[in-house]
């Protein structure tokens, strides 16, 4: 029997009933303002023919509301508030800032269930994945809360008693732009280290997933973050352009596609602003014949089917050593067939809905292209219409396994951003390393083998920011994440990201008289 209760995402103006799962809205539009500036929800000021966009729930196709894009005036208000907040926030000690982040992590865990439901509503991903994402964010915020007090410069001894020291200073107001596949995670992964270092932030979520970033803003406020330190503005490309070009922004951090990343970098070049870019990928997963085959198949599924395949680091080019190719493919198809596709709020669902009709059609187009390029569709690659009428408008795709692929096919070279796996065979290590690196991307890569020396040898040769040995798509916050080549610049996570949110000032201290050359 369903236990019905009203859940507090009525904050968004929806009437939401849940039986441990969300039944979505009752058709009402979002009533609550979706910009979060200076510690409160506000409406964009842009009243003269404002740019609007529709927000849909991917799983049900339901229209959740029309959202007004933030105008240049809204960007200006958010940045000015952020500049004011910076004066106070940057003057606190690291441990004072850390306490706020630790409290934030605590509240995220407390509200994890509600956050997960809203994330499912907004992304269509299965609830178990949303829970993992949200709890992982609590860990990330806690990690930066824990190290905030340790962010420090160096003491450098010089001749004759003189010395220098360095100060690691925050950059000021950071502009941040996110993609739609991990909405809460992007807001948390960017804001927690930035705030730990003493910066403030104006964050623009993807227009497809605007909801949970504001919830993070409210949680920060509840945890004691001063108003204006973390602001959220909604909008599309125009708002993103305006934010990237805005003179009061001292640094940009961007997650999204390569073409947009390039535009953000151009805008930063105009203002000589540092920029971190987390972009796309087409990563290789190499399976050697000596591996535990079932383990490698499980790894390949992790590498391809999370979040309906809409994951930047996915190992979509699976290279399998010839002697185990048939065994690998048989097992991969067998296990993939068992994945339950459907209601993302159901605990046993493995595959939820694609983010939008347009994106689902793009992915289906790649399956057609694969066929025309000569690949064989071993399984899936078609739309699934669910029996439950509630989900009839949702875009559910069966994960697709392609065999008989070649390196120069477009489906093997281009980022599809959906569950389409290209399986390729190989004969020897040198050959596969060369082929794995033959891509413009360099976000991640994976190796399955029992040969420990080969594992490390291959890991060293692959040109990518993260290499998994005998696993794939795990993202502990302690481990830096980011791309080589066109997959990006800079790193998120780990302590190395602190370098991207601080600038170093050297202070020279003379202990003797000036030695004049004149
Ligand atoms: P996208 O580039 O279309 O959009 C990303 C963000 O940029 C959105 O918020 C969008 O509104 C904004 N934007 C659009 N035009 C802009 C402009 N001219 N100036 C500034 N901002 C602008 O990407 P997407 O479709 O949202 O996301 C999918 C892409 O993101 C894939 O390529 C995926 O690989 C990549 N991605 C990378 C990572 C990573 O960590 N490397 C993580 C997730 C997604």
């Amino acid at each position: 029997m369903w236990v019905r209760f009203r859940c507090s995402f009525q904050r968004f103006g929806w009437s939401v009933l849940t039986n441990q799962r969300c039944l979505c809205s009752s058709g009402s539009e979002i009533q609550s303002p979706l910009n979060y500036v200076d510690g409160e929800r506000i409406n964009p000021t842009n009243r003269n023919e404002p740019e609007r966009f529709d927000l849909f729930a991917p799983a049900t196709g339901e229209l959740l509301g029309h959202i007004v894009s933030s105008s240049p005036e809204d960007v200006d208000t958010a940045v000015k508030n952020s500049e004011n907040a910076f004066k106070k926030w940057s003057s606190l000690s690291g441990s004072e800032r850390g306490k706020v982040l630790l409290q934030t992590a605590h509240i995220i865990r407390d509200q994890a269930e509600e956050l997960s439901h809203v994330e499912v509503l907004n992304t269509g991903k299965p609830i178990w994945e949303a829970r993992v994402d949200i709890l992982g964010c609590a860990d990330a915020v806690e990690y930066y809360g824990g190290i905030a007090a340790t962010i420090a410069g160096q003491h450098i001894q010089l001749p004759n008693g003189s010395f220098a020291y360095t100060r690691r200073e925050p950059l000021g107001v950071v502009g941040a732009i996110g993609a739609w596949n991990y909405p809460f995670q992007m807001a948390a992964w960017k804001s927690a280290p930035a705030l730990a270092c003493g910066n403030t932030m104006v964050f623009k979520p993807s227009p497809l997933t605007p909801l949970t970033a504001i919830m993070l803003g409210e949680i920060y406020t509840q945890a004691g973050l001063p108003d204006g330190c973390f602001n959220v503005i909604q909008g599309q490309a125009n708002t993103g352009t305006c934010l990237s070009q805005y003179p009061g922004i001292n640094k940009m951090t961007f997650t999204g596609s390569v073409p947009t990343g390039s535009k953000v970098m151009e805008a930063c070049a105009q203002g000589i602003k540092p920029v971190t870019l987390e972009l796309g990928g087409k990563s290789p997963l190499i399976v050697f014949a000596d591996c535990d085959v079932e383990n490698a198949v499980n790894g390949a599924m992790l590498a391809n089917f999370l979040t309906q395949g809409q994951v930047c680091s996915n190992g979509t080019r699976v290279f399998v050593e010839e002697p185990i190719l048939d065994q690998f493919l048989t097992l991969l198809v067998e296990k993939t067939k068992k994945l339950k596709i459907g209601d993302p709020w159901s605990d046993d669902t493995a595959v939820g809905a694609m983010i939008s009709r347009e994106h689902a059609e793009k992915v289906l187009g790649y399956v057609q292209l694969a066929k025309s390029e000569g690949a064989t569709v071993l399984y899936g690659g078609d739309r699934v219409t669910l029996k439950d009428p509630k989900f009839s408008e949702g875009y559910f795709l069966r994960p697709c396994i392609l065999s008989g692929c070649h390196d120069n096919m477009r489906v093997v070279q281009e980022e599809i951003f959906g569950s389409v796996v290209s399986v390729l065979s190989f004969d020897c290590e040198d050959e596969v390393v060369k082929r794995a690196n033959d891509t413009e991307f360099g976000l991640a890569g994976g190796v399955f083998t029992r040969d420990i020396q080969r594992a490390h040898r291959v890991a060293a040769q692959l040109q990518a920011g993260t290499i998994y040995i005998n696993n794939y798509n795990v993202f502990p916050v302690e481990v830096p994440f980011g791309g080589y080549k066109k997959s990006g610049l800079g790193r998120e996570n780990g302590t190395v990201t602190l370098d991207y949110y601080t600038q170093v000032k050297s202070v020279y201290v003379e202990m003797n008289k000036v030695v004049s050359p004149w």
Side-chain angles (χ1 to χ4, degrees), residues 217-249:
E218 289 176 329
I219 291 172
Y220 272 135
T221 302
Q222 217 180 319
L225 186 72
D227 293 345
C229 287
F230 179 74
N231 307 280
V232 179
I233 52 168
Q234 308 293 346
Q236 298 177 291
N238 285 345
T239 308
T241 307
C242 180
L243 185 64
S244 320
Q245 293 174 344
Y246 195 90
I249 293 289

Side-chain angles (χ1 to χ4, degrees), residues 176-181 183 186-187 190 203-207 209 253-256:
I177 296 177
W180 43 260
N181 52 345
M186 275 171 214
K190 291 182 188 305
F203 181 83
K204 189 197 87 61
S206 163
T209 51
T253 169
F254 172 83
T255 300

Side-chain angles (χ1 to χ4, degrees), residues 318-358:
V318 180
F319 294 91
V320 183
E321 201 167 2
E322 186 59 39
I324 59 160
L325 181 63
D326 290 345
Q327 186 192 359
F328 181 90
L329 282 171
T330 307
L331 202 52
L332 180 61
V333 170
E334 194 183 300
K335 281 178 175 269
T336 306
K337 277 183 181 165
K338 290 186 185 148
L339 298 179
K340 188 185 154 204
I341 303 167
D343 173 0
W345 285 280
S346 170
D347 281 334
D348 61 349
T349 291
V351 179
M354 302 298 288
I355 190 71
S356 66
R357 169 199 290 264
E358 294 71 30

